[in-house]
Amino acid sequence: MIRRPVAWVVAVVLFAEAFGVAALNWFLGVVVDRQDMSLAGLDPHMMSVSSKIGGIAFGLYFALCGLVALLVALRDRPPAGFGRVLLISAAVVHGVLGAVTWGLVGWPAFLFMVLVLAVIVLLLMTYDRPAEPADAAPGGAKSGDGSPVTSPPAPTTP
């Protein structure tokens, strides 16, 4: 099946992205701190600290989303509850970041964001619940062996 490999890919990509986002924001915080320049009167130290805190927060968010995808890959079961909400929010974040990166960074970054969005959505859609078979009894009644209960055939008249 395609479900487990997609979940593994999503987990690896989100863990790599968590590390990359945290490292980039930490680097930007160090750069701001060493330049010791003010932006519209803001304290450079406060900008540096807030960049580092934001990087850690977003890195932890993406790592938590990657952990959900990893659990999906290991268990081969769909994400439920809070994990599903996390993956949906990660898909929304990548959609918004893709729109922003198109204008600010360029099409390669946009393409990366759209690809990550696509694999997250693929993960969510491949683990969607299957439709109930048409020959199942109304209400989903099951017999003792787990097979669907069917009504007896209608009597024929001669």
Side-chain angles (χ1 to χ4, degrees):
M1 283 251 144
I2 193 171
R3 297 186 310 186
R4 282 188 116 168
V6 168
W8 281 108
V9 167
V10 169
V12 168
V13 167
L14 286 176
F15 282 133
E17 196 170 12
F19 177 75
V21 165
L24 177 66
N25 278 305
W26 194 271
F27 174 73
L28 291 175
V30 169
V31 168
V32 167
D33 198 29
R34 287 191 181 163
Q35 283 188 349
D36 200 30
M37 295 172 59
S38 176
L39 178 67
L42 295 174
D43 182 25
H45 179 70
M46 187 58 81
M47 290 188 328
S48 170
V49 169
S50 62
S51 175
K52 292 175 183 178
I53 290 172
I56 291 171
F58 276 111
L60 288 175
Y61 166 71
F62 284 131
L64 186 60
C65 294
L67 179 66
V68 170
L70 181 65
L71 290 175
V72 167
L74 291 174
R75 296 178 182 166
D76 198 22
R77 290 193 331 212
F82 185 65
R84 187 167 182 88
V85 170
L86 271 177
L87 288 177
I88 291 171
S89 70
V92 170
V93 165
H94 281 88
V96 171
L97 286 176
V100 170
T101 57
W102 178 269
L104 295 177
V105 181
W107 68 269
F110 169 76
L111 185 62
F112 173 76
M113 288 295 161
V114 170
L115 287 175
V116 174
L117 169 67
V119 293
I120 292 173
V121 170
L122 184 62
L123 169 68
L124 290 168
M125 296 304 293
T126 56
Y127 278 100
D128 207 10
R129 291 190 178 101
E132 196 171 311
D135 62 346
K142 302 273 185 190
S143 68
D145 64 351
S147 61
V149 176
T150 57
S151 60
T156 58
T157 56

